[in-house]
Amino acid sequence: MKKIQNYIDGILQDATCDAVLEVYNPATGKQYATAPDSREEDVDLAVQAAKKAFPAWSATSNEERHDILMRISQGIDDKLEELALAESIDNGKPLWLAKSVDIPRASSNFRFFATAIMQFSSDSHEMNGYAINYTLRKPLGVVACISPWNLPLYLFSWKIAPALAAGNTVVAKPSEITPMTAYLLSKICIDAGLPAGVLNIVHGLGQHTGAVMSSHPQIKAISFTGSTKVGADIASKAAPSFKKYSLEMGGKNPNIIFADCDYDRMLKTTIRSSFANQGQICLCGSKIFVQKSLYEKFKKDFVSRVSTMKVGDPLDPDTKVGAVVSKPHFDKVMYYINLAKDEGGKILAGGKSVQPKGHENGWYIEPTIIEGLNNDCRTNQEEIFGPVVTIMPFDTEEEILEIANNSTYGLSTTLWTQDLSRAHRMAAKIESGIVWINTWLLRDLRTPFGGMKNSGVGREGGYEALRFFTETTNVCIKY
Ligand code: NAD
């Protein structure tokens, strides 16, 4: 049994209480590790360590922080195989996916913000020859980062890297469901020479460890990625002490396919945007709207391609769909498949759990396509976050715009059309933080990332993240 520890004040250590969490391998359904279920005392130790480390860390030059973050990035690259295997075992995602996407992206998050801080600048405002203002940007102090289980190291590092680059010290909590790569990152940070207390990683349940972080009076800001429900809880706990917060939350994203699209590219990408990472990506296009004249052809091809996707052992290179992350999540996704049937949906592909040979106790679900539902039903309004999509026909641009915006969420939208004017028109009117046209999940780390409505508050990525993790002082000088 592997043992995960907290990383506080530069030292790997157990929680002060004896409570431990069971960590499972979704591919086998078996426990393979334990993690501390940290409480108030542990969060407090981490905050005190971060507070102690802040004066020296915030006084380092951009170059010094750049160099350390680059060493962490290199440490991740050097351990690509080990980290990818750990991520796959912890999360159930195909090993090839962890190796080609999750871990390389975690490394590039550190590399990106190491270099971004070297270019980051602040504004000055000249006042018609009689005064000048300039804006100082200062790190906030101790900040918290809380991340989910779907892209564990990828999203954990997406928050930590800009926070550290901007000169803050950090108390971070990965999801208790997938804590392993965050633990391995602790060791990489030690090897990279990150000074003690600059980054503290505290493991535990959301309602124990996370909730204490949200209300801790000495934490100045919280960057959170996870569900909308927990985001609301964090906002309410953070408000009384006036913390800044950035909330990246759930989505229910439309994938809108016009008849004039580049069909082959659309089909290939739509399979990915529907089922990548078992559909457990906040950006997955889980509601697929297809213009009527293309609907039947798309349905036939999509169903036939998806029905051949191999579901099974995440370590098998041929696996396209691995295991979903946990038993409760498996139950949630299966509940929604049954709900879709109750709401009148017809299952065109999938719809069942799978027991692959040798992995009969793992949590596997067939990639599932449902038709016959309208946009207003619960299946189409609530986030399922699994390998489940619905397909629906539409007629006109005006009609689909209204349908697409009829959602409490507003994270991402994908549009497939060769009509440039229509693409621009729709992109401007769609209520979502991200619009992909003729592509999906193509990321430039400089761009603002986040959602509208119940999908988010604030933006991360590029300078947006560095702005979030800094406080300004405007200095006005009269000539
Ligand atoms: P979750 O909200 O259950 O948990 C996320 C993190 O918050 C975990 O570390 C958890 O321990 C912690 N947490 C739970 N309760 C808490 C509390 N009361 N106070 C403080 N922290 C608490 O989310 P999840 O199930 O891990 O992840 C799936 C969700 O994340 C989906 O809704 C998905 O859409 C969303 N997500 C959003 C984005 C984005 O960029 N918008 C990216 C990935 C995932």
Side-chain angles (χ1 to χ4, degrees):
M1 189 75 47
K2 290 183 191 288
K3 183 180 170 193
I4 289 168
Q5 290 183 297
N6 288 337
Y7 168 53
I8 297 176
D9 209 8
I11 295 165
L12 295 172
Q13 52 189 273
D14 296 336
T16 49
C17 68
D18 292 335
V20 287
L21 301 169
E22 296 172 350
V23 183
Y24 288 86
N25 176 350
T28 60
K30 290 205 181 93
Q31 185 191 351
Y32 80 100
T34 61
D37 187 13
S38 308
R39 305 297 163 94
E40 199 169 343
E41 299 75 39
D42 307 292
V43 173
D44 209 49
L45 279 177
V47 172
Q48 297 322 319
K51 230 180 133 190
K52 193 174 72 187
F54 179 70
W57 181 249
S58 58
T60 53
S61 65
N62 288 345
E63 286 81 357
E64 285 171 279
R65 294 198 302 285
H66 162 273
D67 290 352
I68 291 184
L69 295 186
M70 290 299 275
R71 287 206 295 276
I72 297 173
S73 168
Q74 187 62 50
I76 294 172
D77 288 343
D78 293 346
K79 292 195 154 58
L80 172 68
E81 302 284 339
E82 182 193 345
L83 289 165
L85 183 61
E87 203 72 295
S88 174
I89 290 172
D90 216 21
N91 174 279
K93 66 179 67 212
L95 176 60
W96 59 261
L97 184 67
K99 207 164 148 182
S100 60
V101 176
D102 290 74
I103 308 307
R105 172 60 191 275
S107 164
S108 60
N109 286 338
F110 279 103
R111 206 162 48 241
F112 175 83
F113 284 107
T115 50
I117 196 64
M118 300 289 285
Q119 316 295 329
F120 192 45
S121 58
S122 59
D123 299 324
S124 76
H125 300 90
E126 214 272 340
M127 296 173 75
N128 298 329
Y130 67 91
I132 188 163
N133 297 270
Y134 64 89
T135 309
L136 292 174
R137 282 202 168 266
K138 296 174 278 192
L140 300 166
V142 180
V143 300
C145 300
I146 301 180
S147 61
W149 50 256
N150 65 324
L151 301 165
L153 193 61
Y154 176 134
L155 288 174
F156 196 57
S157 53
W158 177 238
K159 300 181 169 301
I160 291 168
L164 294 177
N168 301 281
T169 51
V170 176
V171 176
K173 191 193 97 59
S175 169
E176 62 275 22
I177 301 169
T178 53
M180 186 53 84
T181 48
Y183 172 61
L184 298 175
L185 179 70
S186 317
K187 297 184 180 186
I188 291 172
C189 290
I190 294 171
D191 292 345
L194 187 70
V198 169
L199 170 64
N200 304 275
I201 300 178
V202 189
H203 297 271
L205 287 177
Q207 66 266 34
H208 294 155
T209 322
V212 175
M213 290 162 73
S214 311
S215 54
H216 199 290
Q218 285 163 340
I219 288 180
K220 302 293 181 205
I222 301 193
S223 168
F224 165 78
T225 298
S227 63
T228 300
K229 186 164 167 273
V230 170
D233 186 57
I234 289 177
S236 71
K237 293 207 170 76
S241 49
F242 304 108
K243 293 184 198 345
K244 273 178 114 171
Y245 53 75
S246 164
L247 308 173
E248 304 283 348
M249 304 183 288
K252 186 77 183 179
N253 310 302
N255 176 8
I256 302 169
I257 300 166
F258 284 93
D260 69 349
C261 66
D262 175 341
Y263 186 78
D264 293 343
R265 187 138 53 105
M266 176 280 295
L267 187 62
K268 200 166 156 220
T269 308
T270 292
I271 292 167
R272 209 163 59 82
S273 67
S274 302
F275 301 115
N277 205 39
Q278 297 67 249
Q280 302 167 141
I281 302 181
C282 54
L283 305 160
C284 277
S286 55
K287 296 198 283 191
I288 305 177
F289 298 99
V290 188
Q291 207 165 21
K292 260 188 192 142
S293 59
L294 190 68
Y295 186 82
E296 289 304 324
K297 176 177 164 55
F298 170 79
K299 176 171 135 180
K300 183 166 157 281
D301 292 345
F302 188 49
V303 168
S304 104
R305 293 273 291 272
V306 169
S307 305
T308 63
M309 289 173 83
K310 182 169 177 190
V311 184
D313 181 2
L315 303 186
D316 179 343
D318 294 329
T319 290
K320 296 285 182 289
V321 180
V324 299
V325 75
S326 66
K327 179 68 167 68
H329 192 58
F330 171 90
D331 291 341
K332 176 188 160 183
V333 177
M334 292 309 292
Y335 165 81
Y336 273 102
I337 292 174
N338 287 323
L339 175 72
K341 290 189 218 163
D342 291 346
E343 290 186 313
K346 183 175 166 207
I347 309 285
L348 299 178
K352 297 188 294 300
S353 62
V354 183
Q355 288 78 39
K357 207 163 176 303
H359 286 72
E360 288 80 2
N361 295 321
W363 304 308
Y364 299 89
I365 300 173
E366 290 173 335
T368 299
I369 306 171
I370 301 165
E371 82 166 345
L373 294 172
N374 65 32
N375 184 52
D376 296 330
C377 66
R378 282 184 59 203
T379 307
N380 276 327
Q381 288 293 326
E382 297 175 16
E383 186 184 43
I384 301 174
F385 215 56
V388 180
V389 294
T390 57
I391 60 171
M392 286 163 276
F394 72 91
D395 267 321
T396 64
E397 181 182 324
E398 293 68 32
E399 176 199 359
I400 193 56
L401 195 58
E402 195 183 322
I403 293 173
N405 284 341
N406 177 15
S407 170
T408 55
Y409 291 110
L411 187 55
S412 77
T413 301
T414 306
L415 285 178
W416 291 94
T417 179
Q418 297 287 78
D419 180 337
L420 192 58
S421 301
R422 171 159 60 204
H424 285 301
R425 255 190 329 262
M426 288 199 61
K429 289 187 185 152
I430 287 274
E431 293 165 0
S432 66
I434 300 150
V435 178
W436 276 296
I437 297 171
N438 300 329
T439 184
W440 177 73
L441 199 41
L442 182 57
R443 293 279 293 118
D444 179 329
L445 302 190
R446 293 170 300 177
T447 59
F449 180 89
M452 297 181 183
K453 304 198 254 187
N454 292 0
S455 290
V457 176
R459 294 292 181 272
E460 299 189 351
Y463 291 162
E464 298 282 346
L466 294 177
R467 286 189 195 106
F468 174 74
F469 283 117
T470 49
E471 186 89 273
T472 60
T473 299
N474 186 67
V475 183
C476 178
I477 308 166
K478 182 135 181 21
Y479 293 153

